Amino acid sequence: MTTVAFDYGAVTDEVVAELKKLLGDENVLTEMHERAMRAFNCAPAPLHRWEDQTPDVVVLPGSTEDVVGILKLANERRIPVTPRGGGSGLADGAMPLRKGICVDVKRMNEIFEIDEENSCVTVGTGLNPLKLNEVLEPLGKIFPDDLAGYANAVLGGRIGCGGWTLIGGRYGHIPDTVISMECVLPDGQVIWVGGGGTKKIRKSSSGYRLKDLFMQHQGTLCIVTRAVLELYPKPEVEFAGYFAFDNWDDAYQALYDITTAGFGTISSAMIFDDKKIDFLRRDDEAFIPLHKDVRFVDLMTFYGKKCEVEPAVKEGFKIMKARGGRYLGPEQGEGDWASRHDRYHLSYHGRTPDGQATLMSWHCEDTAAYHTALPGLREKFHEIVGRYMEEYPGMFDDWGIFIYTSNPFKGWGDYLIEIDVGVAELAFNTETWDAWIRMKKEIANAAVDEECSVSICHGSCREGDDDVAMHREMANGSFDIMKRIKRMIDPNNIMNPGKYCLDEAYVD
Amino acid sequence: MTYQLSKKDFYAEPLTKTKAIPEEFVKEAYLVFACRHKFCRDICPNFDLTRDEAHTSYGFHTSILAVSRGVGDLERLIDDFSYCLECGACELRCPNTSMGGDFYRRSTTTVDLVRKVRRDHVADGGEIRDWAAVKDYLDEHRGFVAGQGDLVTKWAEGIKVAGDLKTALFVDFFTATQGTEVPRLAAQVLGKLGVRFGIYTTPGVTAPELLSVDDEEWKQYAAANVANFKELGVKTLVVMNPHDYALFIREYPKWFAMDDLEVVFVTDFILRTMKAKGVTPPVAVEGRFAYHDPCTLNKLVVEADSPRELVAMVPGAEIVDVMPANQWRYCCGNGNGPYRKLHEDISYRIGQKRLRAAADLGVDTILVACPHCKDQFTDVKAKAGLPVEPVHVLELLAKAMGIEWETTSPTIG
Amino acid sequence: MAEDILYKWGEIEILPTRMEKYIKQQEMNEAERERIVRARNMHLDWYHRHFAYEVLKPPADEWEPKA
């Protein structure tokens, strides 16, 4: 990454006083621990240099006007700003690289309007999707944003990373389920981007597709303060079927068969590979037994009207069984599917080489791959992690691979191939952190070698990913355009600076 | 009821501003930090309003971990640690507990953590901001101890209490002074059911607030109770206040052998007695009611069914509220400790939100099973002007059992 | 299981010897474990209902319910 010197302003007492005047004392946090807890997100963190990532001040705006005031002040004083939603991202989008002001949007959680007739809802971006759905439930509606962080993410972060959901094959992902957004630019200008120049139109051919531009930028272009979201009818039924396979080839082919069969109600399909099954057996027996002869597992899920789902499920069974799949039963399906957000990342899952339970943080890669790239990537990822496990015993652990369908509204297309890595985060020092970054870079490069994308959902702005993503994956001219846009919209480089190698935008 | 033992021995070591955070505590803090998923956050009724993640299980644990890494000062944490309702929602929702706690025998214990940090801070010479009202409350209770015999039985005036202390009603100071309808109606219902019981007259200071200041003092009162129960031959203790019930079930077993004593919450006892005797309430009370699960039953002990089952037995009565798991996100706003006295405004707003949710169900009465909930909702209703009357389930049951009692509920009358 | 576990009274748990060095167990009795399981099941039930009105059972000819 090119190092560029920026003449940033400091967060002085005077700046803090101005922020307090703008937001109220209680919404400007200066205590060290309050700032420190907003240094990281869900990805393994450089705990050995915690203070480097700690913002100088945290502000909790309650409205678009508050955000305008904050950004105007920051822009004027050239103070770095890191927007923070749930802090549950996995690409360090919310980790400040230059300290400065952390803008924690969670107070902006109002539901402004539920428009049942036009099937949309307008919300503040500090709102959590589960809390939204608690309000929608009595109306028979749902906002189907089903991510691992469902219980704690907020819409701002979801938009900031261009979020993915476990049931996107049926309902679409965040780029599909967000209709329009209100954005505050670094100079304080407030714009609304959506279908053309509207708030509730989904598909327009007026002008540029600006909604796409202001999504997924990890807070490097603006702060999104409000959003209009799709409303779906709450599904009549759900079905999750888990099928055991004793070999990779059949599991892989069954995934292809089920996703290309043409179902309308298929919401996701997955493979748990053999190392993932072994990993789950460390404590899976706690409530969902897996038989010893289960080596790979495919999952198919359906949501929708019973009259559509029921026949689809029958057909799905035939497809899975035709490849040798053995149904694992409703207890497995219902138990595991309902716990899909909760149980894969416990830090007790860590094991030392001598079999002791130990504390490891869970890391999850999220390569976007097409179907024929999956077998090679699966082998490569395991090989990479295996090497680092050998070189740094006890520091890393292979927690297996998930493969998920990943295209909106259909089963086939792209897949998320995710290798989960246990990381002994408490033991990080400079050497092991650098090893970690090297491992991540190898994984990212392996993806790009196959013309796949470094990230399907988290974002690729993490250290280790960003270099590969920007200088290899996006080297087709895309990174050049990103730089031009960044510099145009954020001339002082205050918005989440350092992410996505975008400092290079300012090299003349 | 069965005693639920969950105890971490390393909690005995104090955290002080002059010593490094002990290693076991670093791991304890890390366990929650490492989860990162922060499911503990949006289920927290306090966070729901303040939106400040410093006031969550994740925030509490992460700030301790940060201090252990030299990023923060222990004594500066105490203000944020005052924002805990001690309701237990975050502990249940934490995947460490929910998905791994039983397998690993290691779970998240945020309520214990919060109380410990406050205690250690006080023992280390620190003060807790705005603590005066809590101190006054505890002093008032300490003052009751000398004359508790009369105080604890005054509510029973005019009621025949026939029996010895084999089955004893446990009435704490709060219930004896501010929630008197609860033991009064319980005694009358039990009398109608032909149960012989006595009143335990020396409960001592049981307030969970004391656990945030001096657990040794709390244990002294508890030890006296345990000794007295034995001496008096108490076999079954019927507890009126679910805060105390949760302490008996979850706190007492940490320190005392409780095998000879059965502790039962009042609605559990009444329900099982009615079932054993084949009694159903004879008087119909037609109505649709909201019902608020007490945090102490629903989230700490996780035995929340008996009040609902009692209501279901009343002909014509129907609870139209959400199920117990949906209520983990609720609290009346009182909290299971000093919260209401420390954060009056947020406490009110939490209660207001809960009463509004009840009002949205189109009812005029919210049934409760906790005298603190009733007290809190009464205050909130008056301030907010919401048309939902808080009424204890025993008031509904008493009416259905033909016991004369004027409730404030428009429906029960 | 990928590793040995304890199996007592129909409940499964980690071998305590695996929790001796890095992360230790707390004192926890069976009632507390049952409480955790109870709460987990409440949560899982709620989660299903939260996302759909009904969980479809597998086709009758594909799975026989346990007696």
Side-chain angles (χ1 to χ4, degrees):
Chain A
M1 194 169 83
T2 313
T3 309
V4 180
F6 292 93
D7 184 20
Y8 286 123
V11 176
T12 58
D13 289 346
E14 187 243 331
V15 167
V16 171
E18 289 218 32
L19 289 168
K20 285 185 175 176
K21 201 165 134 196
L22 175 68
L23 303 169
D25 286 5
E26 68 280 8
N27 296 315
V28 180
L29 308 179
T30 55
E31 290 288 347
M32 180 63 116
H33 66 276
E34 290 168 337
R35 297 183 280 125
M37 73 179 65
R38 292 164 169 92
F40 304 125
N41 60 9
C42 270
L47 297 186
H48 56 298
R49 45 168 222 249
W50 198 321
E51 208 167 331
D52 291 351
Q53 262 56 71
T54 299
D56 295 310
V57 65
V58 174
V59 294
L60 278 59
S63 65
T64 303
E65 292 67 39
D66 284 351
V67 174
V68 169
I70 295 164
L71 288 186
K72 274 185 170 166
L73 174 67
N75 197 36
E76 189 189 301
R77 309 293 177 95
R78 301 172 84 104
I79 299 173
V81 169
T82 310
R84 183 179 180 87
S88 48
L90 285 150
D92 290 342
M95 183 166 92
L97 294 181
R98 307 264 158 86
K99 294 175 152 300
I101 304 172
C102 166
V103 180
D104 185 331
V105 303
K106 294 192 277 292
R107 273 186 67 220
M108 298 193 294
N109 65 337
E110 203 174 328
I111 299 174
F112 293 103
E113 181 200 47
I114 301 175
D115 183 351
E116 284 183 79
E117 282 179 306
N118 293 305
S119 297
C120 59
V121 57
T122 305
V123 302
T125 50
L127 181 65
N128 161 255
L130 189 161
K131 300 303 275 188
L132 170 60
N133 283 329
E134 280 172 356
V135 171
L136 296 174
E137 194 158 1
L139 305 173
K141 301 286 185 194
I142 194 167
F143 175 63
D145 190 26
D146 183 13
L147 64 153
Y150 176 68
N152 61 290
V154 302
L155 270 313
R158 300 294 290 137
I159 291 167
C161 72
W164 171 101
T165 114
L166 280 154
I167 51 178
R170 173 83 174 83
Y171 295 106
H173 305 286
I174 282 285
D176 313 294
T177 53
V178 172
I179 300 171
S180 69
M181 311 170 324
E182 178 184 66
C183 311
V184 183
L185 301 183
D187 63 2
Q189 186 187 357
V190 180
I191 63 174
W192 203 293
V193 293
T198 72
K199 290 185 181 161
K200 293 186 182 179
I201 296 292
R202 279 87 164 166
K203 168 72 179 79
S204 162
S205 285
S206 290
Y208 292 179
R209 290 180 63 87
L210 294 177
K211 186 189 84 172
D212 289 335
L213 171 63
F214 285 99
M215 193 170 275
Q216 192 171 302
H217 54 83
Q218 301 279 353
T220 56
L221 291 181
C222 68
I223 294 180
V224 180
T225 46
R226 290 192 189 197
V228 178
L229 312 172
E230 287 279 7
L231 282 188
Y232 280 83
K234 182 170 164 176
E236 276 178 20
V237 298
E238 72 171 21
F239 181 81
Y242 289 65
F243 294 82
F245 293 84
D246 59 18
N247 67 87
W248 161 256
D249 287 339
D250 283 339
Y252 172 60
Q253 194 57 50
L255 178 76
Y256 184 78
D257 293 347
I258 198 78
T259 55
T260 54
F263 293 114
T265 52
I266 193 162
S267 306
S268 65
M270 273 177 71
I271 301 178
F272 297 56
D273 86 341
D274 50 346
K275 279 206 157 53
K276 174 62 75 183
I277 297 298
D278 278 345
F279 161 73
L280 288 176
R281 283 208 183 91
R282 290 180 187 177
D283 55 37
D284 210 38
E285 299 280 17
F287 69 109
I288 304 174
L290 280 176
H291 306 284
K292 280 194 186 115
D293 58 355
V294 172
R295 291 197 60 232
F296 296 84
V297 170
D298 277 24
L299 162 67
M300 61 180 197
T301 70
F302 295 83
Y303 277 86
K305 290 189 74 64
K306 192 168 183 175
C307 59
E308 292 178 333
V309 171
E310 222 162 15
V313 167
K314 282 197 169 106
E315 194 58 31
F317 265 78
K318 286 186 196 155
I319 291 172
M320 289 293 192
K321 284 165 68 174
R323 291 286 174 190
R326 178 165 56 83
Y327 180 53
L328 289 172
E331 198 192 344
Q332 169 88 53
E334 290 162 26
D336 190 275
W337 183 243
S339 63
R340 61 193 176 279
H341 304 146
D342 293 40
R343 70 184 183 86
Y344 296 110
H345 59 273
L346 303 191
S347 49
Y348 312 123
H349 281 149
R351 296 289 185 273
T352 57
D354 61 353
Q356 284 284 310
T358 188
L359 300 181
M360 281 185 156
S361 176
W362 163 82
H363 170 73
C364 148
E365 289 292 336
D366 69 319
T367 299
Y370 45 89
H371 186 78
T372 50
L374 294 175
L377 285 175
R378 173 178 160 250
E379 276 187 31
K380 187 72 188 157
F381 287 173
H382 281 312
E383 184 270 320
I384 292 169
V385 176
R387 246 189 302 116
Y388 282 86
M389 282 172 64
E390 224 181 281
E391 197 180 338
Y392 298 91
M395 193 65 214
F396 304 111
D397 195 9
D398 186 338
W399 287 3
I401 279 179
F402 284 123
I403 293 169
Y404 301 84
T405 47
S406 188
N407 272 104
F409 312 120
K410 61 186 200 282
W412 71 93
D414 302 339
Y415 296 85
L416 186 165
I417 175 167
E418 164 190 330
I419 185 162
D420 292 329
V421 185
V423 179
E425 197 179 19
L426 278 174
F428 266 143
N429 53 31
T430 308
E431 185 203 342
T432 48
W433 177 260
D434 287 349
W436 169 233
I437 298 304
R438 285 198 311 276
M439 189 203 305
K440 288 190 50 43
K441 261 194 158 154
E442 282 200 49
I443 291 172
N445 274 313
V448 175
D449 286 345
E450 298 301 318
E451 294 187 50
C452 295
S453 174
V454 171
S455 169
I456 210 165
C457 54
H458 305 152
S460 43
C461 56
R462 289 206 68 185
E463 192 182 349
D465 287 347
D466 54 357
D467 183 33
V468 176
M470 296 301 108
H471 297 128
R472 283 197 69 203
E473 184 187 331
M474 310 280 278
N476 55 1
S478 299
F479 184 46
D480 288 336
I481 297 297
M482 278 178 66
K483 285 186 281 186
R484 288 202 227 172
I485 292 170
K486 168 70 171 169
R487 187 149 181 190
M488 180 188 75
I489 292 182
D490 184 17
N492 294 326
N493 195 19
I494 62 162
M495 297 305 300
N496 215 353
K499 298 286 165 63
Y500 274 139
C501 308
L502 285 166
D503 283 354
E504 295 173 32
Y506 303 87
V507 174
D508 285 323
Chain B
M1 74 101 248
T2 321
Y3 297 107
Q4 297 163 354
L5 175 61
S6 170
K7 187 178 173 197
K8 293 172 178 168
D9 286 335
F10 63 89
Y11 269 44
E13 189 176 350
L15 301 175
T16 75
K17 51 183 182 277
T18 50
K19 283 194 328 199
I21 307 277
E23 195 190 340
E24 279 309 308
F25 236 93
V26 172
K27 290 180 189 169
E28 172 81 338
Y30 180 74
L31 261 171
V32 171
F33 166 80
C35 164
R36 270 29 181 257
H37 280 62
K38 313 180 190 78
F39 299 150
C40 50
R41 203 164 54 191
D42 273 85
I43 201 155
C44 171
N46 171 84
F47 173 79
D48 191 33
L49 291 180
T50 68
R51 309 299 291 169
D52 182 350
E53 61 185 298
H55 311 155
T56 61
S57 181
Y58 174 79
F60 300 145
H61 287 85
T62 301
S63 52
I64 290 175
L65 184 68
V67 166
S68 78
R69 293 268 164 154
V71 189
D73 297 307
L74 190 65
E75 59 195 331
R76 307 291 296 186
L77 267 46
I78 196 64
D79 278 353
D80 286 318
F81 272 71
S82 73
Y83 287 86
C84 178
L85 286 154
E86 298 166 56
C87 73
C90 56
E91 297 182 350
L92 279 190
R93 194 62 190 87
C94 178
N96 290 344
T97 305
S98 175
M99 300 292 156
D102 54 321
F103 183 82
Y104 288 98
R105 287 192 197 258
R106 182 70 189 253
S107 64
T108 297
T109 53
T110 310
V111 176
D112 284 351
L113 173 72
V114 164
R115 289 172 176 167
K116 173 196 168 47
V117 166
R118 291 176 187 158
R119 277 200 306 270
D120 291 351
H121 177 78
V122 167
D124 205 16
E127 283 181 5
I128 304 178
R129 202 196 323 210
D130 298 328
W131 194 253
V134 185
K135 182 179 181 307
D136 288 346
Y137 179 76
L138 287 173
D139 283 344
E140 188 187 12
H141 281 215
R142 290 179 182 112
F144 286 155
V145 169
Q148 62 184 326
D150 288 337
L151 180 89
V152 169
T153 54
K154 194 168 163 38
W155 56 265
E157 272 169 14
I159 295 177
K160 186 163 172 255
V161 175
D164 54 27
L165 282 168
K166 247 171 73 179
T167 300
L169 303 192
F170 188 92
V171 187
D172 61 292
F173 291 154
F174 181 86
T175 310
T177 54
Q178 300 188 57
T180 55
E181 73 276 17
V182 177
R184 206 170 159 78
L185 292 172
Q188 290 178 78
V189 168
L190 291 176
K192 262 215 161 182
L193 292 171
V195 176
R196 298 180 61 79
F197 60 90
I199 302 170
Y200 179 70
T201 59
T202 55
V205 177
T206 60
E209 286 86 333
L210 194 48
L211 284 167
S212 282
V213 181
D214 187 346
D215 62 338
E216 291 304 318
E217 187 186 349
W218 184 89
K219 275 187 241 173
Q220 279 168 20
Y221 290 116
N225 281 335
V226 172
N228 287 342
F229 295 148
K230 203 168 176 140
E231 197 183 310
L232 295 167
V234 178
K235 292 291 172 207
T236 300
L237 195 70
V238 183
V239 183
M240 299 295 123
N241 186 333
H243 287 213
D244 290 271
Y245 179 68
L247 287 171
F248 276 115
I249 297 301
R250 295 187 62 76
E251 203 62 33
Y252 273 64
K254 288 179 186 166
W255 316 110
F256 311 107
M258 303 292 288
D259 305 323
D260 294 335
L261 180 70
E262 183 197 27
V263 177
V264 194
F265 183 59
V266 59
T267 54
D268 284 312
F269 187 76
I270 291 173
L271 181 70
R272 87 177 186 202
T273 306
M274 289 175 76
K275 282 182 174 174
K277 292 179 182 257
V279 172
T280 49
V283 179
V285 183
E286 300 283 338
R288 296 167 72 251
F289 301 100
Y291 174 70
H292 178 73
D293 285 296
C295 295
T296 41
L297 293 187
N298 193 23
K299 302 181 223 178
L300 285 177
V301 185
V302 192
E303 291 170 2
D305 294 338
S306 62
R308 289 172 177 263
E309 283 191 54
L310 281 177
V311 175
M313 286 174 88
V314 172
E318 185 196 359
I319 287 175
V320 294
D321 219 318
V322 296
M323 298 305 290
N326 274 57
Q327 297 214 18
W328 289 352
R329 61 199 157 116
Y330 286 156
C331 180
C332 66
N334 184 81
N336 184 32
Y339 184 88
R340 184 175 168 192
K341 293 172 188 68
L342 294 177
H343 299 292
E344 259 182 65
D345 176 57
I346 314 172
S347 166
Y348 163 69
R349 285 160 53 209
I350 292 171
Q352 185 188 36
K353 190 161 182 171
R354 179 62 182 102
L355 274 191
R356 273 213 191 108
D360 285 348
L361 296 169
V363 302
D364 60 28
T365 302
I366 183 166
L367 295 172
V368 299
C370 171
H372 296 283
C373 291
K374 184 171 172 185
D375 184 56
Q376 163 78 349
F377 281 144
T378 302
D379 263 359
V380 170
K381 174 188 184 277
K383 265 195 211 140
L386 284 162
V388 182
E389 189 69 33
V391 167
H392 200 281
V393 296
L394 291 185
E395 298 179 65
L396 170 66
L397 182 68
K399 194 85 175 176
M401 295 286 283
I403 293 168
E404 287 286 319
W405 173 251
E406 287 297 319
T407 79
T408 46
S409 162
T411 304
I412 303 169
Chain C
M1 280 299 282
E3 43 181 62
D4 295 331
I5 41 89
L6 260 188
Y7 189 80
K8 247 177 9 185
W9 311 116
E11 292 295 319
I12 289 159
E13 59 181 293
I14 194 169
L15 274 180
T17 47
R18 289 186 190 274
M19 304 270 291
E20 281 172 351
K21 259 167 108 176
Y22 302 103
I23 174 77
K24 302 204 172 105
Q25 296 187 313
Q26 71 208 49
E27 218 179 323
M28 189 187 280
N29 68 358
E30 290 312 302
E32 172 65 2
R33 292 182 78 229
E34 281 160 27
R35 180 189 80 105
I36 290 170
V37 172
R38 204 158 56 238
R40 178 168 66 233
N41 288 336
M42 286 167 72
H43 166 68
L44 295 180
D45 280 343
W46 167 76
Y47 230 60
H48 279 301
R49 280 196 315 271
H50 180 72
F51 280 93
Y53 290 108
E54 184 190 331
V55 176
L56 206 61
K57 289 296 171 198
D61 53 353
E62 297 288 359
W63 185 256
E64 272 187 39
K66 286 185 192 155

